[in-house]
Amino acid sequence: MSTLDATRAELALVVLYLNKAEARDKICRAIQYGSKFLSDGQPGTAQNVDKSTSLARKVFRLFKFVNDLHALISPVPQGTPLPLVLLGKSKNALLSTFLFLDQVVWLGRSGIYKNKESAELLGRISLFCWMGSSVCSTLVELGELGRLSTSMKKLEKELKDSDKHKNEQYQAKLKKSNERSLALVKSAMDIVVAVGLLQLAPKKVTPRVTGAFGFVTSLISCYQLLPAPVKAKAP
């Protein structure tokens, strides 16, 4: 592959990535929480960027609650333990509720919905829903990692006379384990972000701490949305 072809392929991946509304939302989220970290809750340019980006992100999430509503009524993979099924469905229900109420918050902040007190209350309820979904997500990832660990140990015993790292099934499970470990870190950190936004522990989880955790989880989300690299064709 020539240098021009390689550059064209890399730019195609960038275009593919930026064409995703979810990717643009997470990039804006990184800007939002990075600004929150810099401002530390103090008035100024950084805080203005934080507030304006937060409002802009709500447009990206219009009708996004349908995604989790669909996941809520969709069948789960066969063999999934009932506790993990219930936690997963609870996560979908809470996240869908958060995204739906977030639209009302956007209507209030943009001046379309005039009842400010009601909008603020719904905004707070929506954040509690998001925190709940993050807790459910954390527990689901812990459960799934436990299941993966058990299956990998079983596979290791079966492959004791061969190199497990050359086994495709083992490699697939290892990759899935790494992905779930990253998702676990992200969902656990998002709980801290929610606590900060709700000001449940204002002395410990300051705006700077909230911004730092939110910025890191935004970068993780951006990484998770990266498209798979295009394999070079054999000459």
Side-chain angles (χ1 to χ4, degrees):
M1 184 182 283
S2 67
T3 304
L4 181 60
D5 288 336
T7 304
R8 189 182 295 116
E10 289 171 0
L11 284 175
L13 287 176
V14 173
V15 171
L16 179 66
Y17 184 74
L18 293 177
N19 276 342
K20 296 179 181 179
E22 185 75 8
R24 294 196 300 273
D25 175 46
K26 298 309 178 187
I27 291 170
C28 288
R29 188 178 191 269
I31 295 170
Q32 175 193 344
Y33 283 103
S35 301
K36 187 180 289 293
F37 171 79
L38 293 173
S39 71
D40 194 22
Q42 301 303 313
T45 303
Q47 189 182 66
N48 292 338
V49 172
D50 172 18
K51 290 181 177 179
S52 60
T53 310
S54 174
L55 185 60
R57 286 186 60 228
K58 295 185 187 305
V59 180
F60 285 116
R61 300 201 295 263
L62 287 175
F63 302 108
K64 191 181 172 183
F65 70 93
V66 176
N67 294 350
D68 280 278
L69 191 60
H70 179 263
L72 178 63
I73 62 176
S74 297
V76 296
Q78 197 170 5
T80 306
L82 182 60
L84 290 183
V85 172
L86 294 175
L87 282 169
K89 295 302 182 182
S90 298
K91 169 198 165 187
N92 294 139
L94 287 166
L95 194 54
S96 182
T97 305
F98 158 68
L99 291 167
F100 178 77
L101 293 177
D102 201 48
Q103 295 182 146
V104 181
V105 177
W106 172 71
L107 291 172
R109 291 184 183 176
S110 58
I112 299 172
Y113 183 62
K114 303 298 183 183
N115 192 330
K116 290 185 178 180
E117 289 185 4
S118 178
E120 289 299 321
L121 176 61
L122 290 174
R124 192 164 177 81
I125 293 172
S126 74
L127 286 174
F128 272 110
C129 289
W130 180 56
M131 183 171 69
S133 74
S134 297
V135 171
C136 290
S137 181
T138 300
L139 296 174
V140 167
E141 296 303 337
L142 281 171
E144 291 293 356
L145 279 170
R147 293 177 69 205
L148 268 172
S149 177
T150 302
S151 64
M152 286 175 72
K153 286 178 181 177
K154 184 179 177 181
L155 187 59
E156 283 176 9
K157 290 181 180 179
E158 296 174 0
L159 299 170
K160 59 183 178 180
D161 297 326
S162 58
D163 188 356
K164 63 185 180 182
H165 294 290
K166 292 182 180 179
N167 182 273
E168 289 185 5
Q169 188 179 359
Y170 183 85
Q171 285 296 320
K173 287 181 181 292
L174 183 61
K175 182 183 177 184
K176 194 70 178 174
S177 177
N178 291 337
E179 289 173 351
R180 287 202 173 277
S181 296
L182 187 62
L184 172 62
V185 171
K186 176 183 172 294
S187 55
M189 291 183 73
D190 272 338
I191 296 172
V192 179
V193 177
V195 169
L197 293 175
L198 286 164
Q199 296 183 333
L200 299 179
K203 291 183 179 180
K204 292 183 178 179
V205 188
T206 63
R208 178 150 287 170
V209 172
T210 305
F213 274 66
F215 182 72
V216 172
T217 57
S218 300
L219 293 182
I220 292 173
S221 295
C222 289
Y223 171 77
Q224 290 173 325
L225 290 168
L226 286 174
V230 179
K231 293 183 180 179
K233 294 181 180 179

